Amino acid sequence: DTSQPMFQSFLGPADPDSQTTATFAYAIDDADPGGGLTVTCTFEGASHPCSFTGATVTGLVARVAPYTFVVSARDGAGNEGSVTHSWHVYSRTQVAAQPVVAGIPRLVARVTTLAGAPVPGGRVLFTFGTTGIGGVVPCTGAAPGGGVVTDADGYATCNMSFATLLQVTGAGGYTATFMAVPPYFGSQGRAGVT
């Protein structure tokens, strides 16, 4: 027998995914009449428990680097087949846009994970109106393209001229869009005028 075991199917998490648990399901076809099929798995290079049909990995956290899971099957003749699956775990985010206050030329939005942890170092794009498709608000000190970087507490502050504040007010408010960067998914928040 010189035929390696074949994986007829393999299912793992999507890339990227936001789940803290990953489930793998697979089907192995081995033409070895002598049997002796063994299945081994590794997660992040270390041995991981698995069965002939699947495995589960728990305790995943959001991070920039991908996770890697490998399942290998070896038949009694020593032929081996394997499947490698890599994926990223990202955190879902939310943007809380503070209302526009007449007379104060500043827009403030806070980006957090759904669990409430701040997202520092991300970029927030401020646009006119609450539809999310308006023009970019010209913020003082913004990065090229108009993004404002969030501080250690997840706040992005758009300082602007009074003329720009009048435009924001005339548009009925603004939209703050968190521009997705690993390990986070993007999100939007909207705020009107108080």
Side-chain angles (χ1 to χ4, degrees):
D1 173 30
T2 58
S3 299
Q4 68 182 20
M6 300 295 294
F7 286 83
Q8 293 178 320
S9 64
F10 180 89
L11 295 172
D15 185 22
D17 191 37
S18 64
Q19 302 301 311
T20 58
T21 298
T23 301
F24 301 90
Y26 40 83
I28 304 166
D29 180 24
D30 181 32
D32 180 13
L37 184 69
T38 59
V39 176
T40 58
C41 294
T42 61
F43 173 66
E44 295 297 280
S47 180
H48 189 79
C50 60
S51 71
F52 284 94
T53 59
T56 300
V57 176
T58 60
L60 302 172
V61 296
R63 67 182 201 184
V64 174
Y67 285 104
T68 301
F69 176 84
V70 179
V71 56
S72 300
R74 178 185 288 260
D75 65 19
N79 303 307
E80 189 170 323
S82 65
V83 174
T84 300
H85 184 73
S86 295
W87 78 105
H88 295 84
V89 174
Y90 285 7
S91 285
R92 296 208 178 274
T93 60
Q94 56 192 356
V95 177
Q98 296 180 4
V100 179
V101 178
I104 300 178
R106 180 179 335 129
L107 306 176
V108 179
R110 185 169 191 230
V111 181
T112 62
T113 65
L114 293 184
V119 177
R123 280 186 38 189
V124 173
L125 184 66
F126 293 89
T127 54
F128 292 103
T130 57
T131 63
I133 57 172
V136 175
V137 175
C139 302
T140 305
V148 176
V149 177
T150 56
D151 65 16
D153 294 319
Y155 287 97
T157 302
C158 173
N159 293 307
M160 63 191 140
S161 69
F162 280 102
T164 301
L165 175 62
L166 289 175
Q167 288 179 305
V168 171
T169 303
Y174 70 99
T175 301
T177 303
F178 173 58
M179 304 165 82
V181 293
Y184 302 103
F185 287 114
S187 55
Q188 284 188 333
R190 294 166 174 72
V193 181
T194 59

